[in-house]
Amino acid sequence: MKPVEIGADGDIRFPTPFNVATHFIDRHLAEGRGAKVAIRTVRGDVTYAQLAANVDRCASALTALGVAKGERLLLVVKDSPEFLYAFWGAIKAGIVPVPLNTLLKAKDYAFMIENSECAMLVYSPEYAVEVEAALAKAAHKPAHLFGSEAFTALLAGGAEGFEAVPATALSECFWLYSSGSTGQPKGAVHLHRDMVVTSETYGVQTLGVREDDVCFSAAKLFFAYGLGNGMTFPLWVGATTVLLDTRPTPDSTFEMIARFRPTLYFGVPTLYAAQLQALESLKPDLSSVRLCVSAGEALPADIYRRWRERTGLDILDGIGSTELLHIFISNRVGSIRPGSSGTMVPGYEARIVDENDREVPIGESGKLLVKGKSAAAYYWRNPEKTATTMLGEWLNTGDTYSRDAEGYYLYCGRSDDMLKVGGIWCSPFEIEGTLIECPKVLEAAVVGREDQAGLVKPEAWIILADGVKPTDALEAELLAHCKSRMAPYKYPRKFHFVDELPKTATGKIQRFRLRASEA
Ligand code: 3UK
C-alpha cells in the first residue's frame, strides 16, 4: 500500500489507486498495531486486528450477496463495533454506506429509502419499529435487509481477506443526509479523500490527536461531527475510541468517562449545560480528560467559563458542517476566545460576503462561504440545492458571520430559518406543519429563542380552533402529538396561546416580531 503523503506546505497527496478503507483500517496491521485496542464498549474491546478481520468479512459478504459497486447501504445503527464493520466493509467493497440519524421517524426513513434507492439496509433492534414501518410504506424496496442478528450472522459467514476495490481520492465514498428548512433532506456525497482531509487538518493539525489518545464522543457516529470524533480521528492515528450505544445524558457520559478514561471528550453545548447542572450534585472522575471539544451550535461564553471553573478543562468551540464533513473554523489551546468560533483550520479558506458577493469590511457581518478539500461533491439528485450551495470551489454555509482584525470568527445567526437544537437541525416549518395537523390548532408559528443558558430552543405561538381553551392538559396533548410524529428533539419547549399572529400585508408571518416579543 502506497502511503498518503503530507507535504511541507500541508498539502495532502494521495496515491493511485486509493481506497480509503485500506488507509484507515489495514494500514494499522502493516504498522504493527494489530493487538492494540481500537474500540472500547461496555460489551468488550475490539483490537485493530479484529476490526480489520470483520471489515474484510463484511466486504466479502456484501459482495457475495451481489450488492454492486456504487450501490447504497443505509445504516440505522447505534454506536457499536458493527457500525464500523458495515461502514468500512462497504467502502472497501466499493459500496456506498449512508449512516442515518437513529432518532428519526418512519416517514423520514421512508423518504431516505426512496431517495437513495438503496440496495441494502442494516438496522439495530432499537430502531426496528420505525424502520420496519418505513419499509412497509416506501415505494422502493431494498433487496437486502438485515436486523442486527442477521447482520452478525452475515459477518460470521463472510470470507476472510478481501482485496480493496480500486478507487481514487476523488471517487464517491459515502453519503450523509443534511436537512434544510423547507423540502426534504439532501444526501451530501462525500469522496474517498474527505475523511483523510478532516483527520489531518482538524484532527491532527488543530486538535493534536495522537496515537496514545482515547476519544469519546457524546455526539453519535451518524452525525458528521461524531463520525470524525468517534471514528476517523482515532483510526487515522491508531488511537482508541470509546463507544456508548445509548442516549448521551450527564449520567451516562460521566460514567463512560470515569470507566474508560478518555483523553479527549467531544460534546455539544446543550449537553455541556446539562452536565454543568449535574455537577452541582455529582463528582465524576474526569481526571483522564486533557481537552474538551464543542460543535453543532455556538457555545455560549458563559458555559465555557463555568465548565472551566468547575472542571479545570478547556472546551474548544469550532464550527463544522455535514457538507464540509468536519470543523473548518476552530479555537486553539492557548488562544481560546470564548463566544467565538476561533480562527481558520489549516487547509480551509473563508470569505464573508454581502448580497453582491463582495467581501464585507472587518467587523461587519455577511454570508460565510468556505473552501476546502473535504467538501461534498454534490447533493444526490438535487441539482437546485447543489447549485445554490456549492458555488464552484466555494460552499455557502447558510451562516452569517463576522471576522475581527485578529482573524477570529463570530457567529451571528443563520441566513435561513433553520434552528440547531442540541446541535441537531430542526426546521420550524416542520414543527408548524405537525402542530396544525392537530384539529385543535388553527394556526401555528415556530421560532427559535435563546434560553437562560444562551441556547436556542423552539417555541410555538398558537391560535386555537374555536371553542378550544388553553389548559395544561391541552399543552400536554400538543406535546404528545409532536413527539409521536417527529424525531423526539423537535418539539416546542414553550407554547404561547394567542389570538393573532403578526403578519405582513401579504400574509407572511413576521418571525422577527415573535423572536423579539416578551416572555
Ligand atoms: C451550525 C455552529 C455556531 C452552523 C458539524 C462539527 O454541526 C455540524 O454539522 P451540521 O450539518 O450543521 C452545520 C451548521 O451548524 N454550527 C455548527 N457548529 C457551530 N454554529 N458555532 C458552532 N460551533 O449553522 C453550521 O452551518 O449538522 C459540526 C463537525 C461536523 C459537523 N457536521
Side-chain angles (χ1 to χ4, degrees), residues 23 48 112 179 217 261 278 293 302 344 416 453 486:
H23 297 259
Y48 272 98
M112 290 160 177
S179 25
S217 177
R261 306 195 53 75
V293 175
D302 187 53
M344 289 317 291
D416 54 23
M486 289 180 294

Side-chain angles (χ1 to χ4, degrees), residues 224-225 295-298 317-318 320-322 325-326 397 399 414 420 425:
Y225 179 45
E297 59 185 313
D317 184 12
S321 75
T322 304
L325 192 55
H326 216 276
T397 60
D399 295 303
R414 292 284 305 169
K420 268 305 186 81
W425 283 130

